[in-house]
Short mmCIF file of all heavy atoms in Angstrom, two decimals:
data_model
loop_
_atom_site.label_atom_id
_atom_site.label_comp_id
_atom_site.label_asym_id
_atom_site.label_seq_id
_atom_site.Cartn_x
_atom_site.Cartn_y
_atom_site.Cartn_z
N CYS A 904 112.65 109.67 126.49
CA CYS A 904 113.93 110.58 126.27
C CYS A 904 113.49 112.07 126.14
O CYS A 904 114.26 112.86 126.74
CB CYS A 904 114.44 110.15 124.94
SG CYS A 904 115.30 108.55 125.03
N TRP A 905 112.32 112.37 125.62
CA TRP A 905 112.05 113.74 125.48
C TRP A 905 111.71 114.32 126.90
O TRP A 905 112.19 115.42 127.26
CB TRP A 905 110.78 114.00 124.57
CG TRP A 905 111.03 113.97 123.11
CD1 TRP A 905 112.23 114.15 122.47
CD2 TRP A 905 110.16 113.83 122.09
NE1 TRP A 905 112.17 114.11 121.22
CE2 TRP A 905 110.79 113.87 120.84
CE3 TRP A 905 108.75 113.75 122.07
CZ2 TRP A 905 110.30 113.91 119.63
CZ3 TRP A 905 108.15 113.72 120.86
CH2 TRP A 905 108.86 113.79 119.62
N ARG A 906 110.97 113.62 127.67
CA ARG A 906 110.66 114.05 129.02
C ARG A 906 111.92 114.31 129.90
O ARG A 906 111.88 115.20 130.62
CB ARG A 906 109.75 113.09 129.67
CG ARG A 906 108.31 113.18 129.41
CD ARG A 906 107.36 112.26 130.26
NE ARG A 906 107.71 111.01 130.29
CZ ARG A 906 107.51 110.02 129.54
NH1 ARG A 906 106.62 110.27 128.46
NH2 ARG A 906 107.72 108.73 129.69
N ASN A 907 112.85 113.43 129.81
CA ASN A 907 114.06 113.58 130.58
C ASN A 907 115.09 114.40 129.93
O ASN A 907 116.23 114.60 130.53
CB ASN A 907 114.59 112.04 130.93
CG ASN A 907 113.53 111.23 131.59
OD1 ASN A 907 112.85 111.79 132.40
ND2 ASN A 907 113.59 109.92 131.45
N GLY A 908 114.94 114.79 128.72
CA GLY A 908 115.86 115.64 128.01
C GLY A 908 117.28 114.87 127.72
O GLY A 908 118.31 115.46 127.64
N GLN A 909 117.14 113.60 127.42
CA GLN A 909 118.37 112.70 127.18
C GLN A 909 118.23 112.21 125.63
O GLN A 909 117.09 112.14 125.00
CB GLN A 909 118.29 111.46 128.00
CG GLN A 909 118.46 111.81 129.43
CD GLN A 909 118.33 110.70 130.38
OE1 GLN A 909 117.77 109.47 130.07
NE2 GLN A 909 118.82 110.78 131.65
N ARG A 910 119.23 111.86 125.11
CA ARG A 910 119.38 111.20 123.88
C ARG A 910 119.12 109.72 123.94
O ARG A 910 119.30 109.14 124.98
CB ARG A 910 120.70 111.46 123.22
CG ARG A 910 121.17 112.85 123.11
CD ARG A 910 122.51 113.16 122.43
NE ARG A 910 122.59 112.52 121.11
CZ ARG A 910 122.38 113.07 119.97
NH1 ARG A 910 122.02 114.34 119.94
NH2 ARG A 910 122.62 112.46 118.81
N TYR A 911 118.64 109.12 123.01
CA TYR A 911 118.28 107.62 122.93
C TYR A 911 119.66 106.93 122.91
O TYR A 911 120.60 107.25 122.08
CB TYR A 911 117.57 107.31 121.62
CG TYR A 911 117.04 105.79 121.69
CD1 TYR A 911 115.80 105.48 122.27
CD2 TYR A 911 117.75 104.89 121.02
CE1 TYR A 911 115.39 104.12 122.16
CE2 TYR A 911 117.32 103.58 120.98
CZ TYR A 911 116.08 103.27 121.62
OH TYR A 911 115.66 101.97 121.62
N GLU A 912 119.93 105.99 123.71
CA GLU A 912 121.13 105.21 123.82
C GLU A 912 120.86 103.74 123.47
O GLU A 912 119.96 103.24 124.09
CB GLU A 912 121.70 105.37 125.20
CG GLU A 912 122.23 106.68 125.67
CD GLU A 912 122.63 106.78 127.01
OE1 GLU A 912 122.39 105.82 127.80
OE2 GLU A 912 123.26 107.71 127.49
N LEU A 913 121.70 103.26 122.55
CA LEU A 913 121.57 101.81 122.20
C LEU A 913 122.20 101.08 123.43
O LEU A 913 123.26 101.39 123.83
CB LEU A 913 122.32 101.40 120.98
CG LEU A 913 121.68 102.04 119.61
CD1 LEU A 913 122.56 101.58 118.54
CD2 LEU A 913 120.39 101.25 119.58
N ARG A 914 121.56 100.00 123.77
CA ARG A 914 122.03 99.19 124.85
C ARG A 914 121.92 97.84 124.49
O ARG A 914 120.97 97.37 123.83
CB ARG A 914 121.40 99.40 126.23
CG ARG A 914 121.48 100.74 126.77
CD ARG A 914 120.81 100.94 128.08
NE ARG A 914 121.07 102.30 128.56
CZ ARG A 914 122.09 102.67 129.47
NH1 ARG A 914 122.92 101.71 129.93
NH2 ARG A 914 122.13 103.94 129.87
N ASP A 915 122.95 96.80 124.97
CA ASP A 915 122.91 95.46 124.83
C ASP A 915 121.76 94.98 125.82
O ASP A 915 121.27 95.61 126.65
CB ASP A 915 124.24 94.82 125.16
CG ASP A 915 124.32 93.37 124.77
OD1 ASP A 915 123.27 92.83 124.28
OD2 ASP A 915 125.32 92.80 125.05
N THR A 916 121.50 93.72 125.67
CA THR A 916 120.36 93.01 126.55
C THR A 916 120.98 92.92 127.93
O THR A 916 120.12 92.86 128.86
CB THR A 916 120.07 91.64 126.02
OG1 THR A 916 121.22 90.85 125.87
CG2 THR A 916 119.41 91.71 124.68
N ASN A 917 122.29 93.15 128.12
CA ASN A 917 122.84 93.17 129.56
C ASN A 917 122.87 94.58 130.05
O ASN A 917 123.13 94.85 131.21
CB ASN A 917 124.31 92.84 129.51
CG ASN A 917 124.39 91.32 129.02
OD1 ASN A 917 123.49 90.58 129.11
ND2 ASN A 917 125.55 91.02 128.48
N GLY A 918 122.33 95.64 129.35
CA GLY A 918 122.28 97.02 129.79
C GLY A 918 123.59 97.91 129.45
O GLY A 918 123.62 99.06 129.90
N GLN A 919 124.50 97.32 128.69
CA GLN A 919 125.69 98.06 128.47
C GLN A 919 125.51 98.85 127.22
O GLN A 919 124.89 98.49 126.25
CB GLN A 919 126.91 96.97 128.08
CG GLN A 919 127.27 96.18 129.28
CD GLN A 919 127.81 96.90 130.38
OE1 GLN A 919 128.63 97.88 130.17
NE2 GLN A 919 127.66 96.40 131.65
N ILE A 920 125.97 100.20 127.31
CA ILE A 920 125.95 101.09 126.25
C ILE A 920 126.83 100.68 125.08
O ILE A 920 127.94 100.27 125.28
CB ILE A 920 126.20 102.53 126.60
CG1 ILE A 920 125.26 103.08 127.73
CG2 ILE A 920 126.30 103.50 125.29
CD1 ILE A 920 125.59 104.33 128.16
N ILE A 921 126.20 100.51 123.81
CA ILE A 921 126.84 100.12 122.59
C ILE A 921 126.81 101.05 121.48
O ILE A 921 125.95 101.90 121.45
CB ILE A 921 126.41 98.66 122.22
CG1 ILE A 921 124.96 98.69 121.77
CG2 ILE A 921 126.62 97.64 123.28
CD1 ILE A 921 124.45 97.40 121.25
N THR A 922 127.73 100.84 120.52
CA THR A 922 127.50 101.75 119.34
C THR A 922 126.64 101.12 118.23
O THR A 922 126.13 99.96 118.39
CB THR A 922 128.91 101.92 118.68
OG1 THR A 922 129.33 100.52 118.17
CG2 THR A 922 129.94 102.42 119.50
N GLU A 923 126.24 101.86 117.21
CA GLU A 923 125.30 101.36 116.31
C GLU A 923 125.92 100.19 115.55
O GLU A 923 125.25 99.09 115.26
CB GLU A 923 125.06 102.43 115.14
CG GLU A 923 124.03 102.09 114.21
CD GLU A 923 123.72 103.19 113.19
OE1 GLU A 923 123.93 104.33 113.50
OE2 GLU A 923 123.28 102.83 112.07
N ALA A 924 127.24 100.22 115.21
CA ALA A 924 127.80 99.09 114.60
C ALA A 924 127.86 97.74 115.42
O ALA A 924 127.48 96.69 114.92
CB ALA A 924 129.23 99.35 114.18
N GLU A 925 128.10 98.00 116.83
CA GLU A 925 128.05 96.86 117.54
C GLU A 925 126.56 96.26 117.79
O GLU A 925 126.33 95.08 117.84
CB GLU A 925 128.48 97.16 119.03
CG GLU A 925 129.94 97.42 119.21
CD GLU A 925 130.39 98.07 120.43
OE1 GLU A 925 129.57 98.76 121.13
OE2 GLU A 925 131.50 97.81 120.83
N GLY A 926 125.57 97.22 117.64
CA GLY A 926 124.23 96.76 117.77
C GLY A 926 123.87 96.08 116.62
O GLY A 926 123.05 94.99 116.69
N ARG A 927 124.25 96.50 115.47
CA ARG A 927 123.82 95.74 114.06
C ARG A 927 124.51 94.24 114.15
O ARG A 927 123.86 93.35 113.76
CB ARG A 927 124.38 96.42 112.83
CG ARG A 927 123.54 97.64 112.58
CD ARG A 927 124.05 98.26 111.28
NE ARG A 927 123.36 99.49 111.04
CZ ARG A 927 122.24 99.56 110.46
NH1 ARG A 927 121.64 98.56 110.11
NH2 ARG A 927 121.70 100.81 110.20
N ALA A 928 125.74 94.19 114.71
CA ALA A 928 126.41 92.85 114.68
C ALA A 928 125.83 91.96 115.72
O ALA A 928 125.56 90.84 115.38
CB ALA A 928 127.98 93.12 115.16
N ILE A 929 125.41 92.47 116.93
CA ILE A 929 124.61 91.64 117.83
C ILE A 929 123.33 91.29 117.30
O ILE A 929 123.00 90.00 117.51
CB ILE A 929 124.37 92.49 119.10
CG1 ILE A 929 125.74 92.79 119.79
CG2 ILE A 929 123.49 91.69 120.07
CD1 ILE A 929 125.57 93.60 120.98
N CYS A 930 122.55 92.11 116.62
CA CYS A 930 121.27 91.77 116.03
C CYS A 930 121.34 90.55 114.92
O CYS A 930 120.63 89.74 114.95
CB CYS A 930 120.61 92.89 115.57
SG CYS A 930 119.99 94.07 116.80
N THR A 931 122.48 90.80 114.15
CA THR A 931 122.72 89.87 113.07
C THR A 931 123.15 88.50 113.71
O THR A 931 122.69 87.40 113.19
CB THR A 931 123.79 90.42 112.10
OG1 THR A 931 123.43 91.63 111.67
CG2 THR A 931 124.00 89.47 110.94
#
Side-chain angles (χ1 to χ4, degrees):
C904 288
W905 278 347
R906 280 191 305 275
N907 297 329
Q909 298 174 341
R910 298 179 61 93
Y911 188 88
E912 296 176 343
L913 287 178
R914 294 183 181 267
D915 190 3
T916 53
N917 300 336
Q919 300 293 325
I920 296 176
I921 57 173
T922 66
E923 182 179 341
E925 291 171 331
R927 284 186 189 277
I929 291 169
C930 292
T931 304

